[in-house]
Amino acid sequence: MWPVTSRGGAVYQAPIFVNAAGAWADMVAAMAGVRPVGLVPKRRTAMLFDPPADQNSGNWPLVIDMDEQWYFKPDAGKLLGSPADETPIEPCDVQPEELDIAIAVDRIERMTNLKVGRIDHRWSGLRTFAEDKTVVVGFAPDAAGFFWLAGQGGYGIETSPAMATATASLIVDGKLPDRFAELGLSPADIAPDRLLG
Ligand SMILES: Cc1cc2nc3c(=O)[nH]c(=O)nc-3n(C[C@H](O)[C@H](O)[C@H](O)COP(=O)(O)OP(=O)(O)OC[C@H]3O[C@@H](n4cnc5c(N)ncnc54)[C@H](O)[C@@H]3O)c2cc1C
C-alpha cells in the first residue's frame, strides 16, 4: 500500500504495511522484526441444529446465559448453538472438539426445553484478544509504516466497519474521524503502544 499520507502535517508518500493477520498478527509482526503486542487466539466452537418443527424460530432472539457459558440464536432456518468456549490455542487451522460440542448440547438442553437432536454442521474458529480485550489499531511505535489492525476478539464482524474507517483515517489523516472523538474514543485507547509497556 503506497498512500499519500499527511501524518504530522507533512504530506508524503510512504509504504504502509497493514497487519490484519488475525490470530497470526503477532507472528507476522515478529517476522517483520516488530515487537508483538501479546495477542492470544482463543478457540470458539459452534454448531447448527434444527429448531422444534412446530415453532417459527426465525424471530427468536439471541438467548445467552448471564455468565456466557452457552448461547443459541436463529440462523437461516436453523439454530446456531455454542458453549461460548474461550480456549487459548496457538494460531492454527482450528477444528471443533467433540467435548466442546457435547458441552454445548448439555448446557442448552439442561437450561431450556430444546432437544438438540442431529447436529447438521459443527465448526470452530479463533477469536483473538489483546490483554485488555480491546482492538489494536494504530502504527507500531518501533517500525515506520507498520500498522496494526488486530485483536478484534469476538466482535470483529460488528466492529469491522468502524475499525476499517479508523484505519483509513489514521493512515491517511493521522487522526480518528471527528465522530469517533465525539463518542469519547482517542487513538491512544486502541494504539499498540498501550500494550508494549
Ligand atoms: C465461532 C465464532 C463466532 C463469532 N461470532 C461473532 C459474532 O457474532 N459477531 C462478531 O462481530 N464477531 C464474531 N466472531 C469474531 C470474528 O469472527 C473476528 O473478530 C473477526 O473474524 C476478526 O477479523 P480479522 O480480520 O481481524 O481476523 P480473521 O478473520 O482471522 O482474518 C485474518 C486473515 O489473515 C489471514 N492470514 C494470516 N496470516 C497470513 C499471512 N502470513 N499471509 C496472508 N494472510 C494471512 C488468515 O488466513 C485470515 O484469513 C466470531 C468468531 C468465531 C470463531
Side-chain angles (χ1 to χ4, degrees), residues 20-24 28 44 46 71 73 123 125-127 149 152-158:
W24 290 264
V28 167
R44 169 63 56 98
Y71 65 84
K73 61 182 177 180
W123 72 99
L126 297 173
R127 300 155 82 244
L149 173 54
Q152 306 204 73
Y155 305 98
I157 298 167
E158 287 139 271

Side-chain angles (χ1 to χ4, degrees), residues 11-124:
V11 177
Y12 62 99
Q13 198 162 26
I16 306 282
F17 179 93
V18 178
N19 181 14
W24 290 264
D26 263 354
M27 290 171 66
V28 167
M31 287 163 65
V34 176
R35 219 173 126 195
V37 294
L39 297 169
V40 179
K42 297 184 178 180
R43 185 177 63 230
R44 169 63 56 98
T45 307
M47 62 184 182
L48 288 179
F49 58 98
D50 284 326
D54 59 346
Q55 302 270 334
N56 174 15
S57 61
N59 56 7
W60 287 6
L62 165 73
V63 180
I64 187 166
D65 77 318
M66 286 183 69
D67 296 327
E68 203 177 334
Q69 295 294 300
W70 55 269
Y71 65 84
F72 66 86
K73 61 182 177 180
D75 188 288
K78 303 279 182 184
L79 294 177
L80 184 158
S82 173
D85 46 333
E86 292 196 329
T87 310
I89 186 171
E90 289 293 310
C92 63
D93 180 12
V94 66
Q95 301 296 319
E97 295 284 327
E98 281 303 316
L99 181 60
D100 290 325
I101 295 291
I103 288 171
V105 173
D106 177 58
R107 289 177 180 166
I108 291 170
E109 289 193 340
R110 267 194 298 133
M111 298 305 294
T112 72
N113 57 9
L114 287 172
K115 289 288 165 223
V116 171
R118 185 175 187 284
I119 296 168
D120 282 351
H121 185 52
R122 66 199 74 197
W123 72 99
S124 58

